[in-house]
Amino acid sequence: PRSVFEGTKYMFSAADVPVNFPIGQHLEMSFLKCPPKQLYFGCLKESNSGGGETSLCDFRKVYQDLDPALRHKFEAKKVCYSRTHGKIGDKWTVDVGAMLSWAQMFGTSDRQEVESICKEEDAPEVQWVGPNKDTFFQEWKDDACQHHP
């Protein structure tokens, strides 16, 4: 989970978790149809408790190092993404995405506004699931590999 900086739309904190919490290697917002083409890193306040480093990974190299048969399998089968955010974030999980409620994730508690944001980002249709139909859910298949422009 991260926080958006006030007055911006796409400027986020690195992570709103304790510095010792592991954050796995990932491609920033790769689930979007148009993920960011560039990322910028900065430090506004140094960590007083140690940690806080941002590790980087060249996923082009990871892709090149994969066995060609596995690359072909990814390309043929694609990848299935799912996003689930409850009405209340899950505080006792290792899934950093599930730590935020959908209202926190989208900065609004208005379901129609959440659906509009997703539509604007060309994201899959939102489903409201669960016993009270108050859990945000999206699921879709997409290409497993994207070439950076």
Side-chain angles (χ1 to χ4, degrees), residues 18-146:
V19 296
N20 64 334
F21 196 91
I23 298 175
Q25 293 294 332
H26 62 282
L27 299 166
E28 197 64 34
M29 297 183 183
S30 62
F31 55 86
L32 295 176
K33 294 284 183 199
C34 188
K37 303 289 187 256
Q38 297 176 334
L39 298 174
Y40 298 91
F41 296 89
C43 179
L44 302 178
K45 183 181 175 191
E46 182 180 350
S47 173
N48 293 329
S49 58
E53 297 91 3
T54 298
S55 59
L56 300 177
C57 178
D58 184 349
F59 276 97
R60 293 170 295 195
K61 177 79 171 119
V62 172
Y63 177 80
Q64 290 168 358
D65 288 348
L66 287 175
D67 180 286
L70 182 57
R71 282 199 310 253
H72 178 71
K73 190 173 182 179
F74 276 126
E75 290 164 1
K77 290 190 171 251
K78 301 191 174 210
V79 65
C80 182
Y81 290 102
S82 66
R83 295 175 72 188
T84 305
H85 298 280
K87 184 176 180 181
I88 299 170
D90 187 350
K91 300 302 177 201
W92 306 104
T93 180
V94 294
D95 177 1
V96 294
M99 290 179 175
L100 294 180
S101 68
W102 57 264
Q104 290 171 301
M105 178 64 89
F106 291 97
T108 179
S109 59
D110 182 331
R111 290 183 191 200
Q112 288 181 325
E113 191 173 345
V114 168
E115 292 170 10
S116 293
I117 291 168
C118 290
K119 191 172 188 176
E120 183 180 301
E121 292 178 344
D122 198 21
E125 185 177 344
V126 175
Q127 298 174 53
W128 298 101
V129 299
N132 298 317
K133 303 289 187 213
D134 59 359
T135 298
F136 170 96
F137 180 75
Q138 289 176 312
E139 184 174 69
W140 69 101
K141 273 191 149 182
D142 210 340
D143 292 332
C145 304
Q146 299 178 22

